Amino acid sequence: MSKAIILVMDGLGDLPDAKGYTPLSAALKPNMDRLADEGATGLFSSIGAGIVPGSDTSHLSIFGYEQEKYYPGRGPLEAIGARFPLKEGDIAFRANLATVENGKIWDRRAGRITTEDAKAFSKYIQKFKVGTGIDAIFQPTVEHRGILILRGKNLSPDITPTDPHSNIALPKSMPLDPKDKAAKRTADALNKFTKMAMHTLDKAKENKDRRRPVNAVIVRGAGTYSKVDSMFQRYGVRGACIAGGALYKGVASYVGMDIVDVKGATGTFETDLKAKGKAALQALWSHDFVFVHVKATDSFSHDGKFEEKKNFIAKVDKELMPTLLRGNCNIIITGDHSTPVKRRAHSGDPCPLLISGPDVRRDDVKKFDEFACGAGALGHVKGTELFNIMLNLIEKAKMCGT
Ligand SMILES: [Zn+2]
């Protein structure tokens, strides 16, 4: 029975620069180009044409779960990924360590603080009482990222975020419906946490040497957790997830995939690609497919760094691809969404997609990039269709009808 590796380069798709190149089209990537030449290509929109996906909804879709039906909010997915033992009724948020000056958000990522430094700051804000019977629990994940849990009775995720996604005055959380008592209680608790965290972090000794202090926690993606049917129950396949970022492990774990922890898989550009490749090969023995995620393509896009994104793609080709190729199985390569460098944000442009394997019908496309793949035989693949294509490739697709 054949198997598959799905490599997702986060935020891979891009728009042409002044010379007409994207980081992917300009990158030296002989392995991916060879696979494109030998296999079939197309474009992929993880949710639908023109829709701007988040990394959470897009991955649900890549794993065959319709995001309209199964999306619990980003917070719970991040928390599951960070192996936080969520309890029924917990409200989970995606959190950022940030820099706030004179009430204004100066940097939403606190200068992209290192994971190590973030840990040092986090020890001051691990747990606070933020209302009658309500605890706020903070846990750092990768770089500036973390999770915040509000635990207590009668809480609701129906509140506004304190991370406005731009550098404006730090907003207060409000209930979406002013008459909703549980939401009011939750927003008040969150605002109390924000205040306490700022007060405590401002005094942290680690801030003495920093040009801009790490002095705030901003949150978004509130949600509560509920269990869903596992991938094995729904589709009869076992998948493994190899990723550095908590969010991706969270989405995978939520749908019942196995999480393979890899030493050195950091979710940053320094991630140990060789170690990830080796872990993927090993996981292939015991799973029908292995999902491998790299994050830095997206991070560089958000920072507007064309050259760095290009070089990281070349590094993936050089350091990860040779090992994945040794798996001797179907390989699918795409992105979860486009993050054009010049926009520094996700966009609704489709990602290039390639599929290579013994049963793949070869098309005329010889290069893996946004332009060439537009002419590929797969056409425009949307939403959970990619997962169906993978199931068919590994002969696990169920017949529709008789
Ligand atoms: Zn993404």
Side-chain angles (χ1 to χ4, degrees):
M1 192 68 72
S2 64
K3 298 190 175 193
I5 292 172
I6 305 178
L7 169 62
V8 170
M9 288 186 270
D10 209 289
L12 175 67
D14 216 299
L15 295 169
D17 67 359
K19 291 179 191 154
Y21 288 103
T22 62
L24 179 65
S25 75
L28 185 70
K29 44 170 178 38
N31 288 309
M32 293 182 206
D33 285 340
R34 185 166 58 77
L35 288 184
D37 186 10
E38 292 169 1
T41 63
L43 297 174
F44 174 54
S45 291
S46 59
I47 296 179
I51 294 177
V52 182
S55 285
D56 42 13
T57 49
S58 58
H59 278 84
L60 266 182
S61 203
I62 289 169
F63 299 150
Y65 284 69
E66 298 78 5
Q67 59 86 27
E68 310 86 311
K69 193 171 164 196
Y70 292 99
Y71 183 53
R74 179 158 186 162
L77 295 175
E78 293 258 359
I80 296 165
R83 302 246 160 84
F84 184 88
L86 279 177
K87 285 186 183 170
E88 200 69 32
D90 281 354
I91 308 295
F93 302 85
R94 158 67 201 272
N96 270 24
L97 286 168
T99 301
V100 170
E101 286 194 351
N102 301 321
K104 187 176 172 278
I105 298 171
W106 183 270
D107 186 342
R108 289 181 54 250
R109 302 183 180 97
R112 270 198 196 284
I113 182 173
T114 64
T115 304
E116 198 74 355
D117 286 353
K119 266 188 196 156
F121 281 102
S122 300
K123 68 177 189 282
Y124 297 108
I125 53 171
Q126 274 169 3
K127 198 169 179 185
F128 290 130
K129 276 250 168 279
V130 289
T132 317
I134 310 173
D135 285 330
I137 305 157
F138 178 83
Q139 188 176 300
T141 55
V142 177
E143 294 179 324
H144 57 279
R145 305 173 188 90
I147 50 162
L148 178 72
I149 313 298
L150 292 180
R151 176 169 286 169
K153 284 195 178 116
N154 302 322
L155 298 176
S156 160
D158 298 332
I159 59 170
T160 60
T162 58
D163 179 355
H165 254 292
S166 59
N167 292 2
I168 57 166
L170 177 64
K172 274 200 164 145
S173 178
M174 315 265 271
L176 296 180
D177 172 0
K179 283 180 257 152
D180 182 342
K181 280 190 186 147
K184 171 85 170 58
R185 191 171 131 83
T186 313
D188 287 348
L190 175 56
N191 291 330
K192 191 162 182 194
F193 167 78
T194 308
K195 226 174 172 175
M196 290 171 88
M198 281 185 82
H199 189 70
T200 313
L201 288 172
D202 256 332
K203 292 185 294 193
K205 66 174 191 299
E206 286 82 355
N207 267 327
K208 286 207 182 86
D209 308 328
R210 295 183 76 90
R211 206 159 59 86
R212 297 268 173 206
V214 179
N215 62 359
V217 177
I218 54 178
V219 302
R220 62 185 198 269
T224 34
Y225 168 70
S226 67
K227 209 172 178 319
V228 297
D229 281 347
S230 73
M231 185 180 278
F232 189 74
Q233 286 168 316
R234 278 194 80 190
Y235 294 108
V237 290
R238 294 188 196 281
C241 164
I242 291 169
L247 175 67
Y248 312 96
K249 294 183 190 176
V251 180
S253 183
Y254 174 66
V255 300
M257 289 167 66
D258 292 324
I259 311 302
V260 181
D261 280 316
V262 180
K263 200 169 168 276
T266 55
T268 71
F269 72 96
E270 291 165 315
T271 194
D272 189 339
L273 293 168
K274 285 180 183 156
K276 275 172 145 172
K278 271 187 205 156
L281 286 195
Q282 215 156 31
L284 210 52
W285 282 100
S286 45
H287 295 83
D288 299 297
F289 79 97
V290 179
F291 160 76
V292 183
H293 181 263
V294 295
K295 175 69 182 164
T297 29
D298 184 60
S299 306
F300 284 135
S301 294
H302 281 290
D303 291 343
K305 294 180 171 168
F306 184 103
E307 279 300 306
E308 285 86 346
K309 185 176 180 183
K310 181 189 88 175
N311 293 339
F312 183 72
I313 293 166
K315 190 175 162 189
V316 170
D317 194 84
K318 197 173 167 204
E319 293 182 12
L320 178 60
M321 288 310 299
T323 317
L324 298 187
L325 288 167
R326 290 215 314 269
N328 226 352
C329 67
N330 299 290
I331 294 187
I332 298 175
I333 307 178
T334 191
D336 54 341
H337 51 76
S338 290
T339 312
V341 168
K342 62 179 165 197
R343 289 200 191 170
R344 296 184 175 216
H346 296 188
S347 80
D349 302 284
C351 279
L353 165 68
L354 85 73
I355 297 179
S356 151
D359 291 345
V360 174
R361 297 175 187 154
R362 184 176 191 165
D363 64 17
D364 290 338
V365 173
K366 298 188 183 332
K367 241 190 123 203
F368 182 57
D369 63 46
E370 294 85 341
F371 313 111
C373 289
L378 298 168
H380 192 171
V381 176
K382 301 182 189 88
T384 53
E385 288 173 354
L386 182 61
F387 193 76
N388 292 332
I389 290 172
M390 195 270 304
L391 289 178
N392 180 54
L393 265 184
I394 63 172
E395 297 173 66
K396 288 280 187 178
K398 289 184 186 123
M399 194 189 292
C400 178
T402 50

